Amino acid sequence: MSSTSLDDEGSILPSRSAMSTWTRWVIRWRRLVIAATLLITLVAGALAANLRIVIDPAAILPQSHPFVASKSVLEGVFGEKYSLLVTIKPKTGSADTPAIRAKVAALTEALLKDRGIIRHTLQSTASPNTRAIDASEDGLAVRPFARVLDEGRPLTELLAENPVYGDFIASKDAGTLAVFAQFDTDPYGYGAILRRLAPAIDAIRDDSVSVQVGGHLKVLGEIELYSERMIVLLPLAILLIALVHFEAFRSVQGLVLPLVTATLALVWVLGIMGASGIPLDVFNATTPILILAVAAGHAVQILKRYYEEYDRLARDGMLPHRANREAVVAAIDKVGRYMILASVVAALGFLSLMAFEIRTIKTFGFFTGLGILSALVIELSFIPALRSMLPPPKPKVTASERPSIWLKLTRWIAAHLRSSSVFVFWAMVVFIGLAAVPMIAVENSNRSNFAEWTELRRDDAAINSALGGSQVLYLMIDGGKPDAIKDPELLKAIAAIQTAMAQREGVGKTISIVDLLKRMNQAIQGGQPAFDTLPESAAQTAQYLLLYGLSGDSRDLDSFIDESYQRANLKIFLKRDDSTWVQNLISFAQFQAHKHLPPGASIIIGGGVAEAAALNEVLVRDKLLNIAQIAAVVFLISCLVFRSLVAGALVMLPLAVAVIANFGLLGWLGIPLNVPTSLISAMAVGIGADYAIYLIARYREEVRRGNPDPLTTTVTTAGQACLYVATAVAVGYGVLALSFGFYIHQWMALLIASAMFISALAALTLIPALLHRYQPRFVHER
């Protein structure tokens, strides 16, 4: 574009002469500029067709955390990936009937045919992996539950003899049956798996039964499906932003031009995302609205100044056609350089998020920063080229002839800025916000992202009421050497840990190889209750495992022990998934492991709930670091450009107020601090800096022009544009409030709207008031 150098105002922004030269060049070659922009947009639009919304747990988790690093052991050794739990409960009577068991068998058979199922994890009364253990002449009789049930054995009797399956594949009273399985990932996401399995699940539904679906796979899939609402919400956001612009400018061009900038920038970024193969997820799926709103906001600043300049030139007698082009040049000459500053500050703030470990935050930061820079390029090239070709505005839309609610509001604000009341008001806001900070709960429960009335929460509650739990925590015990699991000392340690964990509130069921070995020992001894104990020696354990494999299938045990008998998997079924509680449960498990495990043995913790706990541990630290990092970028660049530490502090002041107020909302309203809500403070700092920069620049311009009332002029001109932008961003994100039942979207709607209005109003009141009262030196120096 143009070179950067120290200009007459002592900044490192492009000089006004450079901006003017650039704009005249764009106008001269306007057809070429427009054609090139449209060609890039067409290519980007074609590439954007590859985009999809997919939840990748690895993208939202700190990969270095031990609970996350254990994922490879959990999946590679035991085949535990993403669980699905389907329960079938008759509306009257017992579930132990041929009709209900037939439904379980039909679903089991259908799931076995699915390409993504991990076969040895499938458990149900009809699954070949679910086996009853009895004695036989040869030692053990290990037969599928289905065969034994067909012989007329009551299900309650089988569950009593084989307690490993009680409250797992069936409630102990046989009132509910269940099908449990683990599934591999799908390149099209977890929602695609749910869609694929839906016909099989729907086939067993009828008026005689209630069917519930739960598990980690269900939660992740529903998050994806709810996130796909963005396909509907994004056009609605565009419409509402357009209406804000129309109200602000009362012209078709005022409505269209900011949206053209925003839409083109959005298509460019989505095209790059599509080409890179990076999918949207629940956290960055709202990035399009952010880019749309921010890009439109910068366009509004230019457009507002364009109307001012056109009005001035028209009053001076310049012909409309010439005044149109000269107003374009003058607007970019006076505002464009600060738009560059605001865009670079915001883009660098978001790009700085790439320093963080969590990949979804990296993606959010990179593509948001890229979108802001794309909008800057478009606003400095395509828009002036297009604007110069459009007819001049009609007089009715010029600033002096179009009093509006925005002008009345900013005049009212300006009239009250000379008193100290503005400082008292914001001091109270900060005090109230800080008072709520201790009440903020760091919580990453996936289940709590949904309203209690949603199908997911209702099904989950029903499953937790009938069975051991819908979520699973895995404790993987490593004996340190092959065959260690056969050691009676280690088996007793596992049993002690399992017993202690089973007694914790919120734990509904525990399963391990210990349960199966106890049943084998009891069956060998004629089923006597006194022999519900572990084998006495490693040789006896080895004999039982051999007999199990000879009569049944040793692959049934793949989710409990590894091939070398070095590692065992203790599954803990939970009725809760709130991460603070899970953290406490994990701490208890670690204490029990330290207490009971023999020397050389160790414990590895994993599973979806453990991963959420890991995220909880790093979130507060990373969140504070994230805010400090973006704030440092904003402060340093602002100081450098305005050549003043005072200016940098002024830019930061409304941002600090907005962040404190937003944290206050989290505390007072009981909204948890999690990944999506944690990103909002970064957005408030990255976007909110724009307001302060434009206001400082305009106030300084008016002072240097000798304006006797720079405060009023600044608030009623640049201040109006700030209100347009804040309203557009708030309204754009406000559509997420219509995502009923999905709290992630609704939290973002509330918090982003509040962040935008608070940062805009704080900038609009505090900065002019402080500049007017103290007249800092950088305002007057050249």
Side-chain angles (χ1 to χ4, degrees), residues 189-336:
Y190 303 99
I193 301 175
L194 292 181
R195 290 191 186 98
R196 199 170 69 224
L197 301 179
I201 297 173
D202 290 341
I204 64 171
R205 297 182 190 270
D206 58 36
D207 294 338
S208 67
V209 295
S210 297
V211 177
Q212 285 83 33
V213 183
H216 197 46
L217 171 61
K218 172 68 172 177
V219 174
L220 294 177
E222 286 296 316
I223 289 175
E224 283 184 359
L225 296 176
Y226 273 80
S227 297
E228 289 177 359
R229 293 177 172 182
M230 291 302 301
I231 297 171
V232 175
L233 296 176
L234 182 59
L236 181 57
I238 294 174
L239 174 62
L240 293 178
I241 292 172
L243 293 176
V244 170
H245 292 158
F246 183 77
E247 164 59 27
F249 294 104
R250 300 291 178 90
S251 73
V252 174
Q253 291 184 21
L255 180 153
V256 171
L257 290 181
L259 287 182
V260 169
T261 301
T263 303
L264 293 180
L266 179 59
V267 172
W268 286 16
V269 172
L270 294 181
I272 296 172
M273 291 186 76
S276 68
I278 297 176
L280 294 168
D281 60 34
V282 64
F283 307 120
N284 62 45
T286 60
T287 301
I289 292 182
L290 178 60
I291 294 172
L292 190 75
V294 173
H298 287 304
V300 164
Q301 290 284 357
I302 290 284
L303 191 60
K304 180 71 173 65
R305 191 56 181 261
Y306 162 81
Y307 280 130
E308 289 181 36
E309 296 300 327
Y310 181 83
D311 183 58
R312 177 180 61 81
L313 294 171
R315 286 199 311 268
D316 290 344
M318 187 177 291
L319 293 176
H321 180 71
R322 185 182 173 192
N324 179 43
R325 294 190 180 182
E326 290 301 320
V328 172
V329 174
I332 294 181
D333 182 34
K334 295 177 179 178
V335 179

Side-chain angles (χ1 to χ4, degrees), residues 706-721:
N707 187 330
D709 189 6
L711 184 148
T712 300
T713 302
T714 299
V715 172
T716 56
T717 55
Q720 273 197 72

Side-chain angles (χ1 to χ4, degrees), residues 27 37 79 104 209 225 246 341 343 350 394 403 541 628 669 765 772:
I27 292 174
T37 303
V104 172
V209 295
L225 296 176
F246 183 77
L341 169 60
S343 298
F350 284 111
K394 297 178 181 179
T541 298
L669 298 180
T765 53
H772 173 76

Side-chain angles (χ1 to χ4, degrees), residues 365-397:
F366 177 74
F367 286 106
T368 302
L370 194 61
I372 292 171
L373 294 177
S374 298
L376 175 64
V377 171
I378 292 167
E379 190 60 35
L380 293 178
S381 58
F382 178 80
I383 295 301
L386 179 62
R387 173 70 265 182
S388 67
M389 296 179 67
L390 294 174
K394 297 178 181 179
K396 68 177 181 178
V397 299

